[in-house]
Amino acid sequence: MEQIKIIIAGPRGRMGSEAVKLVTNQDHFELSAVVDHKYDGMMLSDLEGFHSIHNVPVYSNIETCLQNVQADVLIDLTTPEVGMHHAKTALAYNVRPVVGTTGFTTSDLEELERICQERQLGCIIAPNFAIGAVLMMKFSQMAAKYFNDIEIIELHHDQKLDAPSGTAVKTAEMISAVREEKSQGHPNEKETIQGARGATFNGMHIHSVRLPGLVAHQQVLFGSDGQTLTIRHDSYHRGSFMSGVKVAVESVMTQNTFVYGLENILE
Amino acid sequence: MEQIKIIIAGPRGRMGSEAVKLVTNQDHFELSAVVDHKYDGMMLSDLEGFHSIHNVPVYSNIETCLQNVQADVLIDLTTPEVGMHHAKTALAYNVRPVVGTTGFTTSDLEELERICQERQLGCIIAPNFAIGAVLMMKFSQMAAKYFNDIEIIELHHDQKLDAPSGTAVKTAEMISAVREEKSQGHPNEKETIQGARGATFNGMHIHSVRLPGLVAHQQVLFGSDGQTLTIRHDSYHRGSFMSGVKVAVESVMTQNTFVYGLENILE
Amino acid sequence: MEQIKIIIAGPRGRMGSEAVKLVTNQDHFELSAVVDHKYDGMMLSDLEGFHSIHNVPVYSNIETCLQNVQADVLIDLTTPEVGMHHAKTALAYNVRPVVGTTGFTTSDLEELERICQERQLGCIIAPNFAIGAVLMMKFSQMAAKYFNDIEIIELHHDQKLDAPSGTAVKTAEMISAVREEKSQGHPNEKETIQGARGATFNGMHIHSVRLPGLVAHQQVLFGSDGQTLTIRHDSYHRGSFMSGVKVAVESVMTQNTFVYGLENILE
Amino acid sequence: MEQIKIIIAGPRGRMGSEAVKLVTNQDHFELSAVVDHKYDGMMLSDLEGFHSIHNVPVYSNIETCLQNVQADVLIDLTTPEVGMHHAKTALAYNVRPVVGTTGFTTSDLEELERICQERQLGCIIAPNFAIGAVLMMKFSQMAAKYFNDIEIIELHHDQKLDAPSGTAVKTAEMISAVREEKSQGHPNEKETIQGARGATFNGMHIHSVRLPGLVAHQQVLFGSDGQTLTIRHDSYHRGSFMSGVKVAVESVMTQNTFVYGLENILE
């Protein structure tokens, strides 16, 4: 594979520091520079936790960085506001952005899409980089064409505040886009204790389990006469996101359009 | 093992016909007679579905049956009213009852207990003969002494009317008897779609999944720092009840007291 | 949906009788005739188990049947030899075959493909009609592009003679077609009891569990840093095949080529 | 609950540092001193990682420690040789040992048992402190009295060298002690790929799954006519051991005999 030159914005964050590890561990990836709002002009090896990574300059200004460093891809793991500015600037310098933040507005996304089209460049915005989770959602959507009856069980540690999880709702939305509308369960079904049948989303049911010890898990169950199909994702730690970053970087090099969501580049 | 002579009441019912199979297939069991409200005076081999089972007389009256046939155990799979009459009559003839119906009143149970004590005879009433389900409940109760955080997921076919299932509620009750009271989940936990966190029972949560294809399944999840323990029972068909009947028959021969619930004879 | 007129060959077999149920229960399906090597000239309602299904003639000869009855699709659930003859004859009469038998030779398949091309007609041969199982295999193949490390666990009743199951081997073959070759596990891994790591297939591992009570189940596990993805299919009874027959019948009406394997018509 | 005064030997090890956390976080536990072969005479707050834990002296010699510090329990998380010396010395000072190391010889265990009997003191040696894992083994042994057919699937990260895992073998041994001997599966069962049916242990089968992403998991499956029972333990990180240490400390205070294995104090 050809060498891909990469700039990482946000290298000291939780995701960013994993991304630095990823890029420096891949033979066909090369870390050209990092963008960090502090530490302009230093070397990455001067920063705590990165002492062994040599010859990588730190810039605080994305434009200065792009003027001085040759790169193919920008991995941005900062914030939506900063990420939008970084992505637009990168495209102006013919560098393809891979952005891992959520919270972009619709007009942001439309603007990026327009720029990508004008410049015929790839750009990937991915709210979820865990490839297993994205495949779970994609497969669930595919299976929903053949199975009308679907229940989602998501299981998380008991410090999680909201139920159902964002991933469960996203899964249900993706399924709803293709599933023939149906109110599941027996029409005369009765809850003898309120809530037993879970949350209802377009006739499907979502159940949120919370227990100490759990990390982040979800299973989607499909049933029809005589059979069930189950798709389950277990996430044990943050490292799980990095496989998705790798795929996105490789994919963005071959794209010349804007892509929102990892599910659209997984075949 | 010594031969055990058995009378079965209700041989043509769904459970009863399985019990006939069980008793005739066990080397140390012997089917002495059956009690059926129809067909008095015939032989079991005259009845549809039993043509190959020879030398087993049919009685419609339990007392006549007990006067004419020597037996050790009565397996009763009829109805609560009939079952109560059968059990009392059997004990009067020194025959130990194994009864598989639910719906006995508290005074029924107390009366049977008193008779067992007077006559020093065993008698087992078991609302659930699926040994795996009973072990699941028993183990869940044991685990609850060490794990305070518990969620129950029960999964059934979508023709089931009530949620949660009777087994799930029974499990939660057995757990509550030993578990240190606790309201689970984060104190500020919030349902963005109502019902997501399931039914609440003494601070535990119960989730009811309904899908075509499923039969009858339950899993109990226990969580604590860094670990989870899961106990799951899958019931695929009625045959699952027969292992419990076998254990009950063998056990009642060594008992001289009244026992309610299979969990109390499993060690 | 337009009405689809259907002939079923082999209506008294285990699969065939389920197919009769399926076709007569669907509003947009119509059972035009059945082909049965016995009972030529009778009506289906004369045969045991089908008394309530009226106006469906029985033919023993496929050609006579096709000359007398107007049909769109032939569902064949007989044997490979008979099935091949039936399929070719049906195509000659512009009737599209959906065939659920295994054991066709390569030259059989090539001949059918050629005929379909000449006549511009659809024909589906499906060794496995359980749509959940086919999706499990298809999704496993898709996931294998992103996960190099894969283990298959298949679980069946203990009367099964061969291990691993045909479905497990088929899954491993489909995965191997796209997976980057890898010998999994630690290079110095050691079995202290022989067989612990299961069967090896192109570096993947397959484990066969056999227990009374189980029916037919398989799960495919994918692992990478910090996450696992699991795809599981549970088959509880033969009815599970019928959803696949339905999809195949609907799909074959829109096809004008030969298709081998349900996975190729599921999107 | 009464306050329990505790000495920890091996506070800087992986288990030991978790134990320090546990003891200092429990209201009814009090950390009186630590034993560490380095750092004699210092305070625990002088050592890296323990700066916030005040007033806990460090001793290198167990005897000196016991002469100077009043304690109820010694938690030893060192090595078998050191652990044996520590346990004997503690008992001589009427301090009850809770020891979490494996590798004691039979004569060591007999000697400790004898001392406990003489002095009427409790002492617990536990090779596995993960309470969920110990319950899984205990429940498996109980279930094996009612289910003759058992398969064990253990799943670990792919850096593990030996298969099956020690816990799987221990589970199989505990089951074998009560299970009626049986060679499982169909008598004519055939492996078409060698190893498919896993490792055989007294007629049971053990399957070892290895995948990146996994941590340490085991499930024990029991099958009989129409039903299966599954007991599963998932261990996500070392913290899972601490619940067992807590239970052992509380239990040892009420014991006056020697106990080997946590399963013998869980009711």
Side-chain angles (χ1 to χ4, degrees):
Chain A
M1 238 178 282
E2 222 174 317
Q3 201 74 0
I4 305 178
K5 292 188 171 62
I6 298 170
I7 295 167
I8 294 175
R12 289 180 298 119
R14 294 194 309 178
M15 294 278 287
S17 60
E18 294 280 342
V20 169
K21 253 192 257 172
L22 169 81
V23 169
T24 51
N25 283 337
Q26 295 290 321
D27 281 346
H28 63 299
F29 285 1
E30 187 185 320
L31 187 56
S32 304
V34 299
V35 175
D36 189 304
H37 67 280
K38 288 188 185 178
Y39 306 116
D40 190 36
M42 294 178 74
M43 296 301 284
L44 185 56
S45 55
D46 298 331
L47 276 55
E48 186 167 346
F50 300 107
H51 298 325
S52 64
I53 303 173
H54 297 292
N55 300 321
V56 179
V58 182
Y59 294 87
S60 286
N61 183 289
I62 182 75
E63 194 138 16
T64 318
C65 176
L66 290 161
Q67 285 163 351
N68 284 279
V69 167
Q70 208 208 332
D72 303 301
V73 172
L74 166 73
I75 300 176
D76 188 279
L77 300 162
T78 59
T79 62
E81 305 79 47
V82 176
M84 184 64 190
H85 172 58
H86 281 179
K88 281 166 59 180
T89 315
L91 287 166
Y93 282 82
N94 287 323
V95 170
R96 294 154 198 261
V98 168
V99 184
T101 49
T102 53
F104 285 90
T105 65
T106 310
S107 75
D108 283 347
L109 299 178
E110 285 170 356
E111 186 178 354
L112 287 171
E113 187 164 18
R114 194 180 44 70
I115 301 177
C116 287
Q117 198 162 7
E118 281 172 16
R119 306 189 65 93
Q120 289 288 303
L121 278 174
C123 169
I124 297 174
I125 312 282
N128 190 341
F129 272 124
I131 236 172
V134 175
L135 287 176
M136 173 184 62
M137 289 188 269
K138 186 184 181 77
F139 294 161
S140 294
Q141 193 183 44
M142 292 172 71
K145 290 181 200 154
Y146 304 100
F147 288 87
N148 238 336
D149 291 272
I150 302 163
E151 304 236 346
I152 299 173
I153 305 173
E154 53 94 348
L155 313 94
H156 285 84
H157 56 86
D158 66 346
Q159 295 309 299
K160 189 170 179 60
L161 291 178
D162 53 318
S165 70
T167 299
V169 173
K170 179 81 191 298
T171 306
E173 286 171 353
M174 285 177 63
I175 288 173
S176 295
V178 303
R179 170 176 169 269
E180 206 178 308
E181 188 89 20
K182 176 177 181 183
S183 178
Q184 296 181 183
H186 192 285
N188 299 328
E189 178 178 276
K190 207 183 78 187
E191 285 183 346
T192 57
I193 308 178
Q194 197 194 324
R197 289 287 286 119
T200 304
F201 188 105
N202 280 353
M204 287 176 278
H205 292 251
I206 307 177
H207 310 270
S208 299
V209 174
R210 298 288 175 268
L211 282 175
L214 290 172
V215 188
H217 320 260
Q218 182 175 305
Q219 61 185 49
V220 188
L221 289 88
F222 302 85
S224 75
D225 193 28
Q227 69 183 321
T228 54
L229 176 69
T230 306
I231 302 172
R232 179 177 174 118
H233 182 249
D234 292 274
S235 178
Y236 301 110
H237 63 73
R238 241 176 356 260
S240 65
F241 288 85
M242 288 307 121
S243 53
V245 174
K246 176 170 174 285
V247 167
V249 167
E250 287 164 1
S251 174
V252 82
M253 289 300 293
T254 68
Q255 310 274 343
N256 55 6
T257 54
F258 175 74
V259 174
Y260 183 77
L262 212 56
E263 60 275 22
N264 295 305
I265 57 164
L266 302 183
E267 288 146 23
Chain B
M1 236 177 284
E2 221 174 317
Q3 200 73 2
I4 305 179
K5 293 187 171 59
I6 298 170
I7 296 167
I8 294 175
R12 288 180 299 121
R14 295 195 308 179
M15 294 279 287
S17 60
E18 294 281 342
V20 169
K21 255 192 256 172
L22 170 81
V23 169
T24 52
N25 284 337
Q26 295 290 322
D27 281 345
H28 64 298
F29 285 1
E30 187 185 319
L31 186 55
S32 303
V34 298
V35 175
D36 188 304
H37 67 281
K38 286 188 186 178
Y39 305 115
D40 190 35
M42 294 178 75
M43 296 301 284
L44 184 57
S45 56
D46 298 329
L47 276 54
E48 188 168 342
F50 300 108
H51 298 324
S52 64
I53 303 172
H54 298 292
N55 300 319
V56 179
V58 182
Y59 294 88
S60 285
N61 183 287
I62 181 74
E63 193 137 15
T64 318
C65 176
L66 290 161
Q67 284 163 352
N68 284 278
V69 168
Q70 210 207 330
D72 303 302
V73 173
L74 166 73
I75 299 176
D76 188 278
L77 300 162
T78 59
T79 62
E81 306 79 47
V82 176
M84 184 62 190
H85 172 59
H86 281 179
K88 281 166 58 179
T89 314
L91 286 166
Y93 282 82
N94 287 323
V95 171
R96 294 154 196 260
V98 168
V99 184
T101 48
T102 53
F104 285 89
T105 64
T106 310
S107 75
D108 284 346
L109 299 178
E110 286 171 356
E111 186 177 355
L112 287 171
E113 186 163 21
R114 193 180 43 71
I115 301 175
C116 287
Q117 196 161 10
E118 280 172 18
R119 305 191 65 94
Q120 289 289 301
L121 279 173
C123 170
I124 297 173
I125 312 281
N128 191 340
F129 271 125
I131 237 172
V134 175
L135 287 177
M136 173 185 62
M137 289 188 268
K138 188 185 179 79
F139 294 162
S140 294
Q141 192 181 45
M142 292 172 72
K145 289 182 202 157
Y146 304 101
F147 288 87
N148 239 336
D149 291 272
I150 302 163
E151 304 235 346
I152 299 174
I153 305 174
E154 52 94 347
L155 313 95
H156 284 83
H157 56 86
D158 65 346
Q159 295 309 300
K160 191 170 176 63
L161 291 178
D162 53 316
S165 71
T167 299
V169 173
K170 178 82 193 296
T171 306
E173 286 171 352
M174 284 176 63
I175 288 172
S176 295
V178 303
R179 170 174 169 269
E180 206 177 308
E181 188 90 18
K182 176 177 180 182
S183 178
Q184 295 180 185
H186 193 284
N188 299 329
E189 177 178 276
K190 206 183 77 186
E191 285 183 346
T192 57
I193 308 179
Q194 196 193 326
R197 287 289 284 121
T200 303
F201 188 105
N202 280 352
M204 286 177 278
H205 293 251
I206 307 177
H207 311 270
S208 300
V209 174
R210 299 288 175 266
L211 282 174
L214 290 171
V215 188
H217 319 261
Q218 182 175 305
Q219 61 186 48
V220 188
L221 288 89
F222 302 85
S224 75
D225 192 28
Q227 68 184 323
T228 54
L229 176 69
T230 307
I231 303 173
R232 179 177 175 119
H233 182 249
D234 292 275
S235 180
Y236 301 109
H237 64 74
R238 237 172 3 255
S240 66
F241 288 84
M242 289 308 119
S243 53
V245 174
K246 178 170 175 282
V247 167
V249 167
E250 287 165 359
S251 173
V252 82
M253 289 300 293
T254 68
Q255 310 274 343
N256 55 6
T257 54
F258 176 74
V259 174
Y260 184 77
L262 211 55
E263 61 274 22
N264 296 305
I265 57 165
L266 303 183
E267 287 145 23
Chain C
M1 238 178 283
E2 222 174 317
Q3 199 75 358
I4 305 179
K5 293 188 170 60
I6 298 170
I7 296 167
I8 294 176
R12 289 180 297 120
R14 295 194 307 179
M15 293 278 287
S17 60
E18 294 280 342
V20 169
K21 253 192 258 172
L22 169 81
V23 170
T24 53
N25 284 336
Q26 295 290 321
D27 281 344
H28 62 301
F29 285 1
E30 186 185 321
L31 186 56
S32 303
V34 299
V35 176
D36 188 305
H37 68 281
K38 287 188 186 179
Y39 305 115
D40 190 35
M42 294 178 76
M43 296 302 284
L44 185 57
S45 56
D46 298 330
L47 275 55
E48 188 167 343
F50 300 108
H51 298 325
S52 64
I53 303 172
H54 298 292
N55 299 321
V56 179
V58 183
Y59 294 87
S60 284
N61 182 288
I62 182 75
E63 195 138 15
T64 317
C65 177
L66 291 161
Q67 284 164 351
N68 285 279
V69 168
Q70 208 207 331
D72 302 302
V73 173
L74 166 74
I75 300 176
D76 188 279
L77 300 163
T78 59
T79 62
E81 305 80 45
V82 176
M84 183 64 190
H85 172 56
H86 281 178
K88 281 165 59 179
T89 313
L91 288 167
Y93 281 82
N94 287 324
V95 170
R96 295 155 196 260
V98 168
V99 184
T101 48
T102 54
F104 284 89
T105 65
T106 310
S107 75
D108 284 347
L109 300 178
E110 285 170 356
E111 186 177 353
L112 287 171
E113 187 164 18
R114 194 180 43 71
I115 302 176
C116 287
Q117 197 161 9
E118 280 173 15
R119 304 190 66 93
Q120 289 289 302
L121 278 173
C123 169
I124 297 174
I125 312 281
N128 191 340
F129 271 124
I131 236 171
V134 174
L135 287 176
M136 172 185 63
M137 289 188 268
K138 187 184 180 77
F139 294 161
S140 295
Q141 192 182 45
M142 292 172 72
K145 290 182 201 155
Y146 304 101
F147 288 87
N148 239 336
D149 291 271
I150 303 163
E151 305 235 345
I152 299 173
I153 306 174
E154 52 94 348
L155 313 94
H156 284 84
H157 55 85
D158 66 346
Q159 296 308 300
K160 191 171 177 59
L161 291 178
D162 53 317
S165 71
T167 299
V169 172
K170 179 81 192 298
T171 307
E173 286 171 353
M174 284 176 63
I175 288 172
S176 295
V178 303
R179 170 175 168 268
E180 207 178 308
E181 188 90 19
K182 176 176 180 182
S183 178
Q184 295 180 185
H186 193 286
N188 299 328
E189 178 178 276
K190 208 182 77 185
E191 285 182 346
T192 57
I193 309 178
Q194 197 194 324
R197 288 288 284 120
T200 303
F201 187 105
N202 279 353
M204 284 177 279
H205 293 251
I206 307 177
H207 310 270
S208 299
V209 173
R210 298 290 175 266
L211 281 175
L214 290 172
V215 188
H217 320 260
Q218 181 175 306
Q219 61 185 49
V220 187
L221 288 88
F222 301 84
S224 75
D225 192 28
Q227 69 184 322
T228 54
L229 176 69
T230 306
I231 302 173
R232 179 176 174 118
H233 182 249
D234 293 274
S235 179
Y236 300 110
H237 64 74
R238 245 180 346 265
S240 66
F241 289 85
M242 288 308 120
S243 54
V245 174
K246 177 170 175 284
V247 168
V249 167
E250 287 165 359
S251 174
V252 82
M253 289 301 293
T254 69
Q255 310 274 342
N256 54 5
T257 54
F258 176 75
V259 173
Y260 184 78
L262 212 55
E263 61 273 22
N264 296 305
I265 57 165
L266 304 181
E267 287 146 22
Chain D
M1 238 177 283
E2 221 174 318
Q3 199 75 0
I4 305 179
K5 293 187 170 60
I6 299 171
I7 296 167
I8 295 176
R12 289 180 298 120
R14 295 195 307 178
M15 294 277 288
S17 61
E18 293 281 341
V20 169
K21 253 191 259 173
L22 169 81
V23 169
T24 52
N25 283 337
Q26 295 290 321
D27 280 346
H28 62 299
F29 285 0
E30 186 185 321
L31 186 56
S32 303
V34 299
V35 176
D36 189 304
H37 68 280
K38 288 188 186 177
Y39 305 116
D40 191 37
M42 294 178 73
M43 296 302 283
L44 184 56
S45 56
D46 298 329
L47 276 53
E48 187 167 344
F50 301 108
H51 298 323
S52 64
I53 303 172
H54 298 291
N55 300 320
V56 179
V58 183
Y59 294 87
S60 287
N61 183 287
I62 182 74
E63 194 138 15
T64 318
C65 177
L66 290 160
Q67 284 163 353
N68 285 279
V69 169
Q70 208 207 332
D72 303 301
V73 173
L74 166 73
I75 299 176
D76 188 279
L77 300 162
T78 59
T79 62
E81 307 78 47
V82 176
M84 183 64 190
H85 172 59
H86 281 178
K88 281 166 58 180
T89 314
L91 286 166
Y93 282 82
N94 287 324
V95 171
R96 295 154 197 260
V98 168
V99 184
T101 48
T102 54
F104 284 90
T105 65
T106 310
S107 76
D108 283 347
L109 299 178
E110 285 170 356
E111 185 178 355
L112 287 171
E113 186 164 19
R114 194 180 43 70
I115 301 176
C116 286
Q117 197 162 10
E118 280 172 17
R119 306 190 65 92
Q120 290 289 301
L121 279 173
C123 170
I124 297 174
I125 312 281
N128 191 340
F129 271 124
I131 237 171
V134 174
L135 286 176
M136 174 185 62
M137 290 188 269
K138 187 184 180 79
F139 294 162
S140 295
Q141 191 182 46
M142 292 172 72
K145 290 182 201 155
Y146 304 100
F147 287 87
N148 239 335
D149 290 272
I150 302 162
E151 305 235 346
I152 300 172
I153 306 174
E154 52 95 347
L155 313 94
H156 284 83
H157 56 85
D158 66 345
Q159 296 308 300
K160 190 169 177 62
L161 291 178
D162 54 317
S165 71
T167 299
V169 172
K170 178 81 193 296
T171 306
E173 286 170 353
M174 284 176 64
I175 288 173
S176 296
V178 304
R179 170 175 168 269
E180 205 177 308
E181 187 91 19
K182 175 176 180 183
S183 178
Q184 294 181 186
H186 193 285
N188 299 329
E189 177 177 276
K190 206 182 79 185
E191 285 182 348
T192 57
I193 308 178
Q194 197 194 323
R197 288 289 284 118
T200 304
F201 188 104
N202 280 352
M204 285 176 280
H205 293 250
I206 307 176
H207 310 270
S208 299
V209 174
R210 299 288 175 267
L211 282 174
L214 290 171
V215 187
H217 320 261
Q218 181 174 305
Q219 62 185 49
V220 187
L221 288 89
F222 302 85
S224 75
D225 193 27
Q227 68 183 322
T228 54
L229 177 69
T230 307
I231 303 172
R232 178 175 175 120
H233 183 250
D234 292 275
S235 180
Y236 301 108
H237 64 73
R238 236 170 8 252
S240 66
F241 288 85
M242 288 309 120
S243 54
V245 173
K246 177 170 175 284
V247 168
V249 167
E250 286 165 0
S251 174
V252 81
M253 289 301 292
T254 69
Q255 310 274 343
N256 55 7
T257 54
F258 176 74
V259 173
Y260 184 78
L262 211 56
E263 61 273 23
N264 296 305
I265 57 165
L266 303 182
E267 287 146 24

